[in-house]
Amino acid sequence: REGVYIVRCDSNTFYATVQRALGSSALNIPVVVVYDVDALKHGDQLLDAAINGGAPAPALTAAKGQDVPVKRAALDGLGWIPADANFEDEVCRCGYDGSAFDVIRDEGVEGGYTKFLTDRSLSKDGASAAAYIVASRFKRWLKIALARSVAAKVQTTKKVPPCFELALKRAVALAAP
């Protein structure tokens, strides 16, 4: 093995494509997956993507239509790593809430964030910043800006959210000769 590469999948469909190309029936390159747990609340698309990507279907099929803990257990069985509840929550809980505030300010959506706080009687904190980014109509754009901000700062802070630290350790172990 030649090292570790991080591939951003952005969607369940793209994940299935990557997994089919890299998986045991193709190039046989190990893949470590970090997923947003909140995606399990909105249906079975993540389970379908795993099945379409070539993961063993029985446990995944049995988990379809079940509660989040059952779906999560099925994905745990694949070695997938959950981000509770999502990337934005993970990084804000890990001390990057300042990055979320910077993104909201720098991207010019402070007015929307203030209205979001007022409408929901929330205080300005990392949890509300993460919730705003996820709920915003500018979600995709804000998520990318937050990811870039965190990536730039992680070099100096040396603080990686636990789910991503586990994924990197697992990937390095898989890449070892």
Side-chain angles (χ1 to χ4, degrees):
R1 307 240 188 261
E2 293 294 323
V4 174
Y5 296 91
I6 297 174
V7 178
R8 188 175 102 201
C9 288
D10 282 343
S11 74
N12 296 332
T13 304
F14 184 65
Y15 162 75
T17 302
V18 168
Q19 184 59 34
R20 279 193 308 273
L22 300 179
S24 58
S25 62
L27 297 175
N28 200 26
I29 297 172
V31 174
V32 177
V33 177
V34 177
Y35 67 94
D36 289 353
V37 172
D38 62 2
L40 300 177
K41 295 176 187 173
H42 306 295
D44 296 329
Q45 296 87 351
L46 196 56
L47 299 172
D48 290 335
I51 293 167
N52 292 337
L60 297 170
T61 301
K64 291 173 85 169
Q66 301 295 319
D67 291 333
V68 170
V70 174
K71 294 176 184 181
R72 186 171 171 172
L75 295 173
D76 286 350
L78 298 176
W80 286 24
I81 301 166
D84 274 325
N86 53 51
F87 168 78
E88 295 75 20
D89 285 328
E90 285 279 353
V91 298
C92 285
R93 272 197 315 270
C94 192
Y96 290 100
D97 48 339
S99 290
F101 299 136
D102 291 346
V103 163
I104 289 167
R105 181 196 65 234
D106 295 347
E107 299 299 329
V109 293
E110 285 176 296
Y113 179 52
T114 300
K115 183 175 179 350
F116 180 83
L117 295 175
T118 302
D119 290 351
R120 290 162 180 77
S121 300
L122 298 173
S123 58
K124 181 180 178 181
D125 60 20
S128 66
Y132 174 71
I133 290 171
V134 170
S136 172
R137 65 187 174 117
F138 305 111
K139 170 169 66 174
R140 184 173 209 83
W141 162 35
L142 296 174
K143 286 177 169 237
I144 291 168
L146 179 59
R148 287 181 177 151
S149 176
V150 170
K153 290 179 181 174
V154 79
Q155 296 298 324
T156 52
T157 64
K158 306 293 187 212
K159 193 170 190 178
V160 178
C163 65
F164 299 108
E165 183 176 10
L166 176 59
L168 289 168
K169 285 179 180 177
R170 207 173 275 172
V172 167
L174 288 169

